[in-house]
Amino acid sequence: MGEKKNTKEILVKKEDKKSFDELIEASIEQTKKTQLVRDLKELEGPHSITDLVALIVKKAWESSASDIHIDPQPSSVLIRYRIDGVLHDVLSLKKELHPLIISRIKVLAGLRTDEHFMAQDGRFKVIEGTNEIDLRVSIIPTYHEENVVMRLLVGEARALDLIELGFSARDLDILQRYIKKPYGMILATGPTGSGKTSTLYSILKILNSRNVSIVTIEDPIEYSVAGVTQIQVNTQTNLTFAAGLRSIVRQDPNIIMVGEIRDEETSGIAINAAMTGHLLLSTIHTNDAATTLPRLLDMGAEPFLIASTVNIAIGQRLVRRLCEKCRSQYTLTREETASLSAVIPNELLKKYKSFWKENGCSACNNTGYTKRSGIFEVLEVTEPIRRLIMRRANADEIRVAAKQGGMTTMLEDGFNKAVAGVTSIAEILRVIRD
């Protein structure tokens, strides 16, 4: 306990205080495109590591950052915020402050302050105004000492409506139709950070009522949802996705959400649960919706089980939305059209020539973007798709059949959003270009 008390009371020395001012001013000169660094001039005020860490978290929250990175460098400590999916350098501090910052975060997260060579994970909460912010902490040892990443979450689920997520009218109609089914699987797929969990929480928001039992198993539990039984994976007690899912089925649920299907055992139990009268929601890591079905085959699932249980696969990515205050419309030149034709099908390009682009203003920290939207493809497992699954067709064959059945690909959905001014062509290519 004495070690924790001393950590909280460590004061910033006068010479370090002077360095704060100099490094903040240097950051402002090097980062003229964003207002964020100018806001951090408040760091002239703190006199303790407690105040410094609190202010770093506060500014991250005010900037709508999803993550705070504290990266040790050879001679400094770099503070970075991930805002709308993109990392921004916001502050550089003296190297001597690194162990003090790390110790303070370990104290808050209930981690061992004397352990410096082992990965540690923890959580802590802070109150900012009327919001309770839950911070998920990950600390790993690196060549230049310990690296910290803190994920900012709100205590209660910030589930959005499906329309707010960015689903098109066609995709929304398909999704709502299958949400009403009492059994089967709805799978969200994409890389880490593509918004899969947000999609599942939004579906749970629609399904959550007093006349159904909803049980989830997650790693980690990102948001607390009232009325939903949520289970945290704990490998130390052998509570894995597979073991937890096996127990959940015996808890008389109507709807089950599995954080991720990542191995043969979990996929087998999930498919059996979907076959026995449960609606099962989960995520899986593949590049697009069409690859989801062959991926389940790779995990050892039988083709007839996949064909009879998977209802839809949702492929998705997150793109930054254009700032509505400074975006501007422009027309593609012949050279730009020729360049884009290498990555965007000609049948799309020839439909439109007018798009929108980012400019930058004080409202968007001079980035041209603010907040994010999803781009989606919803693959409905129809009879032609089932026949392809039964003969173990590859992802390309499934994709062609899905497009013939009317599926809008992520590229097409993103293109439509670029035409509508939601995002830019450059942002779509940044996110989904192979």
Side-chain angles (χ1 to χ4, degrees), residues 1-66:
M1 293 294 292
E3 184 178 6
K4 291 186 177 180
K5 182 178 179 182
N6 291 338
T7 304
K8 291 182 179 180
E9 293 178 353
I10 292 174
L11 299 181
V12 177
K13 298 177 182 179
K14 288 185 178 179
E15 56 268 29
D16 289 339
K17 175 65 171 63
K18 182 180 179 182
S19 296
F20 282 174
D21 299 343
E22 293 173 351
L23 288 168
I24 291 168
E25 290 299 328
S27 298
I28 292 172
E29 289 302 314
Q30 295 171 11
T31 321
K32 294 181 179 179
K33 290 184 178 181
T34 175
Q35 184 67 30
L36 191 59
V37 175
R38 294 183 179 88
D39 293 338
L40 282 171
K41 292 189 74 172
E42 291 184 26
L43 281 176
E44 295 173 4
H47 298 288
S48 70
I49 295 299
T50 300
D51 294 332
L52 174 59
V53 171
L55 190 54
I56 290 172
V57 172
K58 177 184 177 183
K59 286 301 175 184
W61 172 253
E62 291 177 354
S63 304
S64 299
S66 61

Side-chain angles (χ1 to χ4, degrees), residues 28-323:
I28 292 172
E29 289 302 314
Q30 295 171 11
T31 321
K32 294 181 179 179
K33 290 184 178 181
T34 175
Q35 184 67 30
L36 191 59
V37 175
R38 294 183 179 88
D39 293 338
L40 282 171
K41 292 189 74 172
E42 291 184 26
L43 281 176
E44 295 173 4
H47 298 288
S48 70
I49 295 299
T50 300
D51 294 332
L52 174 59
V53 171
L55 190 54
I56 290 172
V57 172
K58 177 184 177 183
K59 286 301 175 184
W61 172 253
E62 291 177 354
S63 304
S64 299
S66 61
D67 301 87
I68 302 170
H69 288 239
I70 300 176
D71 298 340
Q73 305 295 311
S75 58
S76 63
V77 183
L78 185 62
I79 310 298
R80 300 195 290 171
Y81 293 167
R82 185 176 295 280
I83 303 172
D84 296 334
V86 178
L87 277 171
H88 298 268
D89 295 349
V90 297
L91 186 65
S92 180
L93 297 173
K94 284 189 68 174
K95 184 73 171 181
E96 290 83 351
L97 294 173
H98 178 259
L100 305 182
I101 295 171
I102 300 297
S103 293
R104 173 58 183 164
I105 292 171
K106 286 180 177 178
V107 168
L108 290 169
L111 303 176
R112 289 182 55 182
T113 57
D114 60 342
E115 177 57 67
H116 305 289
F117 301 100
M118 183 178 73
Q120 297 192 73
D121 296 308
R123 301 177 84 122
F124 67 92
K125 295 181 186 294
V126 298
I127 304 298
E128 187 60 46
T130 59
N131 297 296
E132 184 181 79
I133 308 168
D134 191 3
L135 287 99
R136 193 173 76 213
V137 179
S138 173
I139 301 177
I140 59 171
T142 70
Y143 183 76
H144 295 298
E145 300 182 42
E146 291 170 290
N147 186 92
V148 179
V149 175
M150 296 187 285
R151 169 66 56 87
L152 280 74
L153 304 166
V154 176
E156 293 297 322
R158 294 183 292 182
L160 301 173
D161 293 330
L162 294 175
I163 296 177
E164 292 179 275
L165 289 178
F167 282 97
S168 67
R170 177 194 175 276
D171 290 346
L172 189 61
D173 178 67
I174 295 172
L175 191 53
Q176 289 176 331
R177 182 155 30 96
Y178 283 101
I179 286 173
K180 296 175 183 176
K181 285 186 174 289
Y183 58 88
M185 298 175 69
I186 296 176
L187 300 176
T189 182
T192 300
S194 58
K196 301 184 298 295
T197 302
S198 295
T199 297
L200 296 189
Y201 273 117
S202 297
I203 294 173
L204 286 184
K205 177 183 177 182
I206 296 172
L207 297 172
N208 192 8
S209 65
R210 298 306 304 163
N211 61 347
V212 296
S213 171
I214 302 177
V215 185
T216 76
I217 180 161
E218 306 168 62
D219 183 24
I221 297 173
E222 295 201 4
Y223 302 114
S224 171
V225 184
V228 174
T229 302
Q230 296 175 272
I231 302 169
Q232 168 71 53
V233 165
N234 187 344
T235 54
Q236 293 181 345
T237 60
N238 200 33
L239 182 56
T240 61
F241 278 121
L245 183 54
R246 192 179 291 111
S247 298
I248 288 172
V249 174
R250 297 193 289 268
Q251 290 279 313
D252 188 32
N254 299 100
I255 300 158
I256 302 170
M257 187 182 95
V258 183
E260 182 186 348
I261 294 176
R262 59 175 66 158
D263 54 46
E264 181 177 343
E265 186 179 12
T266 307
S267 67
I269 301 169
I271 288 172
N272 287 329
M275 284 188 65
T276 54
H278 303 91
L279 179 62
L280 188 134
L281 315 176
S282 189
T283 70
I284 190 167
H285 284 283
T286 62
N287 287 330
D288 55 26
T291 313
T292 302
L293 306 173
R295 176 73 180 117
L296 290 172
L297 288 170
D298 291 341
M299 289 183 182
E302 292 295 332
F304 75 93
L305 293 177
I306 299 172
S308 58
T309 55
V310 178
N311 291 337
I312 55 174
I314 307 166
Q316 64 182 88
R317 298 288 191 278
L318 288 176
V319 296
R320 293 178 294 171
R321 300 178 66 97
L322 285 170
C323 175

